[in-house]
Amino acid sequence: MYKATTETMMTPLPLLLSLSLPAFADATVLPTWALVVGSNRPGEGQTALRYAHDDAERMAAVLAELGPVPPERLRVLTDPDPARLSEAIDQVEREIVAAGLDRSRLFFYYSGHARASGLDLGPERLALSALRAQLERVPASSRVLVLDACQSGALADPKGVHASGTFSTVSVQGLDTEGTVVIASSSADELSQEDESLQGSPFTHHLVVGLRGAADRDADGRVTLDEAYGYAYDRTLLSTSGTRIGRQHPTLNSELKGRGAMVLTRPEGASARLHLGPQDEGELLLARDGFVVAEVSKVAGEALTLALPPGSYEVVHQQGEDAERCELEIAAGTSTLYAPTRCRRLRADEARAKGEAGLADRSTLVETVGIELSIGGTTIGQDAYTTRLEDFSYGEGWNLGLVGSARVSYSLHRNLSLLASTASLEAQSWQRSIGSEGGNSNETRFGWRGSRTMLGARGQLPLADDWLVPYAQVEAGLGTSFSEYQSGEDPAVEQRQWGPAIGGGLGLQLMPSFGQRRWRHLGLFVQVELVHAPVLKNLLDETHDLGGRVTTVGLRAAL
Amino acid sequence: MKNHSPRLLLALLVLSLGSLGATDSCGSDILADPSFDLWCQDEAGQQTLCTWELEEGRIEPVPTWHEAEEGASLIGELVSISQLVELGSDELDCIFFTLNAEVSDEDDADSGERASLALLLDFNDDGLVELDQVLVADDYRAVQLFLTPPEEFESVRVRVRKTGAGEAILAAIRAQSESSDNCHEAPIELLQP
């Protein structure tokens, strides 16, 4: 789901600013200094952002891995004040001067709040004029600025004639110096967004995925500025089309196009790569530890290589109406061919969600199978069966209302699941002691325990981002009892009986995420059921109900 | 209908334990094998009760409420079993009888054959029956009665007699010595030979 900050003028928005064409158009990666800034801190009247730091970390990671930008040239600043940011720019300036290179590049990335007059770095503001002055002093032969700032666009026009007073417009105008690239990720009057399921902004996410190789349309192992922008534009537009805030249109200075390729990353040089052959096609979503790492739209006939961190991935692969979820292991130090394992088909609603929203609702990718273990207590009632025992002079020995259950749920829909369960029912023991005056007593014991195996359906209503899930369910199946009759020293007579079992109840699941998505699907639940299991019968056609009101609590894991 | 409330609400586990060892706690039994558990073979190879004396007719074991809990089916138009209790008035102030039996009645005798049961007490075992009480028993439901014995006696023969061609199954007949506080009727008159 997508969420925007509340203030109209301060939503995060990636801006890749290109003010005029670089005089050069390099086909290789120039020696690059990168300054990556993430600022969650709000300014006056603003709310704190949640994922600006994460955006900055991801951008820094892809630059370090694939730029490549060596560590000594890569600076990541989180929540800097204006003085600290200015000092960092000055430091880059000094380093480039000291390097004495003919051609070099400055890559500046900012994710955070901004206004028309400048960057909001918490309560302080870095004026646009000051930022411009500093950038002009940096003696790089090209400057690439990605500003994931809280602002609607107007950056489609590099001359900045739209929506006067917005940050985008003013920044384009103010930063329009030779050798600097400016792209806006949203048009004028659009809000850029933070995506909770991505834990970042959609534009930065897609730009990073593109830089990892998804944008490499010509499959030459290098991702150019044009390719990265084109990929990020398409995917951002698609992924924000169904959101409450509305579509987000990234923009690029058109004067840059046709002037040659500015290579930003080289995925072919990555140590771990995923290679999709010409035969592979469809929409691919790769997630790791519950986070979406990449999603690509692959067409048949072209090869594609993605540079990804090695490890275990979950893959959702959709092709037409068919979709499946698989596992994929990407090995370090090599190129891994796309060969997913342990695939299973996804349901129709999952596939539809994937196709319509681009980024599928993560809730449709999980929660397919739930495993529940519980323990609790049941009421124990009397009926004709137990009255008969009393008629025959039996008295209650002990009764055990402790019950346990194991249940598996399979989600047909977000609001409907199938159930299969097995559970214990009540256990009781009765005894009779008949003795003569002389002490020749005869002890008779009779006891039983029950269990049930049932199938059913559950209607559920996930609330509060799936943290709370109230539900109602009905089940029906088979009950069984095992009884034992022991008289004196005689061998025990054991008996197993069968009968119908039905039940229905209400429950509440608590599935907290604890801030980490990997924990999202482990939680607790409490449930109250009414169970009817007339299983135990005597020779006089009297039946005992092993059910009752069953109250349980337990653990729930969803896979 | 008795309900034990659930012993838990939201606790992780709740153990619901009822009472322990709460068996029938009436007075001590004065009859041996009141539930007809002990079966022997007579000289003719027929099964018969070990501790009860078959005076007339024939008996055989049959299941009652559970296949392992047998009762005595009284076969024939006149069947009588008895047991001598050698306890006198010094030990018995009040006797509590409980009978569980299934006896054919008008409702369940398709053939129209009915049967009836009677409890007979012969104090001092002298052949003079001081009590001849018809017991209306059905569906093994417990039929209970308190009897005040004569003031003076040495022993008592307890006899159960079935008459009629219908079916009668005895599941149990218990006689327990109780406190005189439970017997409010006048003592049974002792017949003199």
Side-chain angles (χ1 to χ4, degrees):
Chain A
M1 61 208 68
Y2 298 93
K3 294 183 179 178
T5 49
T6 54
E7 59 277 18
T8 303
M9 303 297 288
M10 290 147 221
T11 52
L13 168 69
L15 308 175
L16 189 55
L17 304 176
S18 174
L19 298 186
S20 66
L21 293 178
F24 51 83
D26 56 282
T28 59
V29 179
L30 292 179
T32 301
W33 277 257
L35 184 54
V36 179
V37 182
S39 179
N40 284 333
R41 293 196 302 160
E44 183 180 354
Q46 300 168 337
T47 56
L49 299 176
R50 291 171 293 177
Y51 305 123
H53 292 180
D54 300 318
D55 288 340
E57 289 174 8
R58 289 167 191 155
M59 183 58 72
V62 75
L63 292 174
E65 293 174 32
L66 308 175
V69 179
E72 65 273 14
R73 294 178 183 169
L74 175 61
R75 287 176 173 78
V76 179
L77 302 180
T78 54
D79 293 336
D81 56 23
R84 188 172 162 219
L85 178 55
S86 296
E87 169 55 29
I89 296 174
D90 290 343
Q91 181 63 28
V92 171
E93 177 191 350
R94 290 193 291 272
E95 291 179 4
I96 292 179
V97 170
L101 299 172
D102 292 335
R103 300 173 63 195
S104 60
R105 179 183 299 157
L106 168 65
F107 189 99
F108 180 83
Y109 172 88
Y110 173 78
S111 178
H113 280 293
R115 301 176 197 264
S117 54
L119 306 183
D120 284 311
L121 300 172
E124 300 180 72
R125 184 170 303 154
L126 177 60
L128 200 62
S129 57
L131 179 62
R132 178 185 58 192
Q134 284 199 288
L135 292 174
E136 286 176 345
R137 286 200 302 271
V138 176
S141 54
S142 68
R143 307 177 191 90
V144 177
L145 282 76
V146 179
L147 301 182
D148 192 349
C150 301
Q151 180 56 36
S152 58
L155 298 175
D157 185 343
K159 302 303 180 186
V161 296
H162 300 302
S164 62
T166 67
F167 169 77
S168 303
T169 303
V170 176
S171 62
V172 168
Q173 293 170 336
L175 297 173
D176 186 6
T177 58
E178 184 168 349
T180 303
V181 178
V182 178
I183 292 179
S185 67
S186 62
S187 298
D189 301 326
E190 288 178 349
L191 298 175
S192 53
Q193 306 165 20
E194 282 192 317
D195 183 339
E196 187 175 357
S197 65
L198 293 174
Q199 303 211 342
S201 80
F203 182 81
T204 294
H205 167 78
H206 295 303
L207 184 60
V208 167
V209 172
L211 292 173
R212 287 194 175 278
D216 186 15
R217 282 176 298 190
D218 58 5
D220 64 351
R222 297 172 298 181
V223 177
T224 65
L225 180 63
D226 271 352
E227 288 175 328
Y229 163 74
Y231 179 86
Y233 177 92
D234 292 341
R235 304 306 296 186
T236 302
L237 183 62
L238 185 61
S239 66
T240 58
S241 60
T243 64
R244 177 169 53 86
I245 305 303
R247 292 185 176 183
Q248 187 178 326
H249 295 78
T251 57
L252 170 69
N253 176 6
S254 60
E255 293 179 36
L256 184 64
K257 296 177 181 176
R259 295 298 190 93
M262 178 183 285
V263 177
L264 296 180
T265 57
R266 297 172 60 90
E268 65 178 0
S271 61
R273 301 181 302 279
L274 173 64
H275 182 77
L276 295 100
Q279 74 283 1
D280 297 319
E281 61 177 322
E283 299 283 335
L284 277 176
L285 185 149
L286 293 99
R288 189 181 182 205
D289 295 333
F291 295 97
V292 176
V293 176
E295 58 173 342
V296 294
S297 181
K298 174 72 170 58
V299 295
E302 296 178 0
L304 176 64
T305 298
L306 288 175
L308 296 169
S312 300
Y313 287 79
E314 178 189 44
V315 181
V316 174
H317 186 180
Q318 183 181 357
Q319 187 172 354
E321 290 297 317
D322 298 324
E324 59 183 7
R325 179 166 56 192
C326 311
E327 295 179 8
L328 180 68
E329 194 72 27
I330 296 180
T334 184
S335 180
T336 302
L337 289 176
Y338 179 68
T341 60
R342 301 179 65 180
C343 294
R344 122 178 137 64
R345 290 179 62 84
L346 290 178
R347 303 182 307 273
D349 62 323
E350 291 176 327
R352 282 196 298 273
K354 181 72 176 65
E356 291 172 359
L359 278 178
D361 181 354
R362 240 56 63 194
S363 65
T364 65
L365 303 183
V366 293
E367 292 282 347
T368 301
V369 176
I371 298 174
E372 300 169 359
L373 300 175
S374 69
I375 193 169
T378 180
T379 56
I380 294 177
Q382 283 202 331
D383 47 30
Y385 189 97
T386 55
T387 301
R388 178 67 65 184
L389 290 173
E390 292 173 343
D391 280 342
F392 276 77
S393 300
Y394 285 86
E396 286 183 75
W398 51 263
N399 56 64
L400 188 60
L402 179 68
V403 295
S405 71
R407 181 177 282 106
V408 176
S409 66
Y410 180 80
S411 223
L412 292 177
H413 182 270
R414 181 171 170 80
N415 301 111
L416 180 65
S417 297
L418 295 180
L419 305 173
S421 67
T422 182
S424 61
L425 297 168
E426 65 162 47
Q428 288 200 51
S429 175
W430 293 66
Q431 59 189 39
R432 178 180 65 188
S433 178
I434 296 178
S436 65
E437 189 72 15
N440 297 321
S441 63
N442 181 43
E443 290 278 344
T444 304
R445 295 178 182 277
F446 179 66
W448 65 82
R449 61 180 184 271
S451 63
R452 57 184 162 119
T453 302
M454 308 170 83
L455 299 175
R458 172 184 293 170
Q460 60 225 5
L461 184 63
L463 301 173
D465 196 24
D466 297 355
W467 272 51
L468 288 175
V469 185
Y471 62 87
Q473 66 186 35
V474 292
E475 293 177 292
L478 198 61
T480 183
S481 67
F482 177 80
S483 64
E484 188 173 83
Y485 181 97
Q486 174 83 60
S487 180
E489 301 299 323
D490 293 342
V493 177
E494 299 173 346
Q495 197 171 43
R496 185 173 291 279
Q497 294 178 310
W498 305 86
I502 59 174
L506 302 172
L508 179 67
Q509 298 165 5
L510 177 63
M511 305 292 285
S513 68
F514 302 115
Q516 296 190 37
R517 191 164 292 273
R518 72 187 62 181
W519 290 102
R520 184 182 185 83
H521 304 292
L522 181 63
L524 307 171
F525 71 96
V526 59
Q527 178 174 291
V528 178
E529 289 177 278
L530 290 178
V531 178
H532 180 56
V535 175
L536 197 60
K537 305 177 186 68
N538 63 23
L539 295 179
L540 306 177
D541 291 331
E542 291 158 341
T543 303
H544 180 58
D545 184 0
L546 299 181
R549 187 174 67 251
V550 182
T551 306
T552 54
V553 293
L555 293 173
R556 182 172 195 279
L559 308 179
Chain B
M1 176 75 69
K2 179 177 67 175
N3 263 324
H4 298 266
S5 299
R7 269 75 167 175
L8 69 85
L9 286 175
L10 299 176
L12 280 177
L13 63 92
V14 170
L15 192 64
S16 176
L17 287 171
S19 58
L20 291 170
T23 58
D24 192 309
S25 58
C26 292
S28 59
D29 286 280
I30 62 174
L31 290 173
D33 191 23
S35 53
F36 309 113
D37 296 318
L38 306 177
W39 290 84
C40 301
Q41 283 193 340
D42 61 15
E43 295 174 351
Q46 300 285 327
Q47 284 194 303
T48 189
L49 289 166
C50 301
T51 60
W52 289 80
E53 181 181 341
L54 177 62
E55 297 176 333
E56 289 183 88
R58 187 165 65 87
I59 58 175
E60 65 180 23
V62 293
T64 55
W65 69 275
H66 189 278
E67 64 180 27
E69 184 151 324
E70 294 176 330
S73 176
L74 310 182
I75 301 169
E77 292 195 11
L78 178 60
V79 184
S80 176
I81 61 173
S82 71
Q83 186 174 139
L84 180 62
V85 177
E86 297 191 66
L87 296 174
S89 51
D90 292 342
E91 293 96 352
L92 295 176
D93 295 325
C94 175
I95 305 174
F96 178 52
F97 278 94
T98 303
L99 175 74
N100 296 93
E102 162 65 11
V103 180
S104 298
D105 57 19
E106 294 177 350
D107 294 333
D108 53 16
D110 294 337
S111 62
E113 296 177 337
R114 288 182 287 172
S116 67
L117 284 179
L119 172 67
L120 293 81
L121 298 183
D122 176 3
F123 289 94
N124 291 331
D125 195 23
D126 54 8
L128 299 175
V129 175
E130 278 78 12
L131 177 74
D132 187 343
Q133 176 71 55
V134 173
L135 301 175
V136 181
D138 183 40
D139 195 28
Y140 298 110
R141 296 299 178 194
V143 177
Q144 299 174 324
L145 69 157
F146 286 94
L147 293 175
T148 307
E151 293 179 348
E152 292 289 339
F153 65 97
E154 300 294 327
S155 63
V156 58
R157 178 169 291 275
V158 178
R159 178 177 292 114
V160 177
R161 185 181 63 200
K162 174 239 179 180
T163 56
E167 184 181 40
I169 300 172
L170 294 177
I173 178 167
R174 302 184 70 179
Q176 294 166 286
S177 174
E178 288 286 341
S179 165
S180 58
D181 296 339
N182 294 316
C183 288
H184 306 294
E185 299 297 324
I188 296 171
E189 183 179 353
L190 183 66
L191 300 178
Q192 299 296 331

